[in-house]
Amino acid sequence: MNLNTTQKELLNRWLNREADETDINAIKKDAELLAYIKISTATSQLQAPEFETEKAYVKLISKRNQPKVRKLFAYQNVFKYAAAITLVAGIYFLLQNKQNVIEVAYAQQTEVVLPDASEVRINAGSKLSFQKKNWNKNRLVQLKGEAYFKVSKGKKFTVKTPLGNVQVVGTQFNINQYDGLFEVECYEGKVDVSHNRQIVRLTPGKSVKLSPEGTLVISNIVREIPDWTTGVSDFEGSSLKDVLNELERQYNLKIDVEKDIDLEQKFTGSFNHDDLDLALKTICLPLKLSYHLTSDKKVTLHAQDKP
């Protein structure tokens, strides 16, 4: 595939971070140029796979000296030009706002190495952002979803979430901020957690969770690392609604629940991330529920005494 002079100039400006809004609009409308990005991404890996949006994202980001991102596993890939157009527009937005943003799709997990060598493992359906400029002076990360942090020693390290903030110096901790939840677990060092005017300090083996009443409640943890990083989602007295939301994230599926099922009933147990049928049985049997799974990964839950 040969690009004309105009297309080459557009591509060069894009890769050199010199593209303006007019250039970006032109790229979005140029199917041939988008196809070139697709082919060049595949051939650079010395094989001829179909276009994978996540890999193209990592390659393009690396050309802009962005942080190292390693995709740990994925169950689905997207190969459509429409996705590529969204990708192009999205990266441009990030550069314009001088923000590094990593969004993790359902059924995936991603590991990111920050500028100070701190490591972040991000769970499915989560979003993490930070500003690389002056990072060593202002180690600030914003998180929506769940992530496990291994923070290198240095100046104060802050994670902001919609429901509360976490501050550390050098430590290992997990934050879960899915669906109105806010829970922090400390595995090493000390962690300061704040919500509104409440502040608590966690030491290894301690966790704190935001209660429905809006207070921070401390409890103990016995595991050495978060279960989700080993391919397991674990629950203790969690609502069925929260359990099903996690199942949707880990398997990238849609779950419909009949109206007579109480989504606030509690579930204690766990499910693996590599066997959907077993995961559904693990959840449904203790709660006396039945399920129907279609070939397009849609699940319907109903009471066990119904057909």
Side-chain angles (χ1 to χ4, degrees), residues 70-179:
R70 297 193 295 272
K71 187 176 70 175
L72 300 180
F73 57 81
Y75 297 103
Q76 287 193 346
N77 294 307
V78 182
F79 305 106
K80 297 185 182 295
Y81 282 139
I85 294 173
T86 302
L87 173 65
V88 171
I91 294 175
Y92 176 70
F93 176 81
L94 304 182
L95 293 173
Q96 286 293 92
N97 289 276
K98 299 181 180 179
Q99 285 284 323
N100 297 273
V101 179
I102 298 93
E103 293 192 57
V104 184
Y106 281 11
Q108 297 182 12
Q109 292 179 9
T110 297
E111 190 173 272
V112 178
V113 180
L114 299 175
D116 61 350
S118 294
E119 299 177 7
V120 188
R121 186 163 179 169
I122 312 171
N123 205 351
S126 301
K127 178 180 178 180
L128 182 140
S129 62
F130 66 95
Q131 192 167 22
K132 185 177 179 181
K133 185 177 180 181
N134 297 323
W135 170 259
N136 289 330
K137 295 181 179 179
N138 184 26
R139 301 197 297 173
L140 173 64
V141 170
Q142 297 187 54
L143 172 69
K144 292 183 179 180
E146 184 169 20
Y148 176 49
F149 294 81
K150 294 183 179 180
V151 178
S152 300
K153 292 184 178 181
K155 291 184 178 292
K156 179 178 65 178
F157 186 102
T158 303
V159 182
K160 289 188 175 182
T161 81
L163 290 178
N165 301 330
V166 176
Q167 291 186 348
V168 302
V169 176
T171 184
Q172 297 183 27
F173 61 97
N174 189 78
I175 301 177
N176 182 346
Q177 195 277 303
Y178 285 128
D179 307 315

Side-chain angles (χ1 to χ4, degrees), residues 274-286:
D274 58 0
D275 189 329
L276 176 57
D277 191 58
L278 179 60
L280 285 165
K281 289 178 180 177
T282 301
I283 297 169
C284 291
L285 290 179

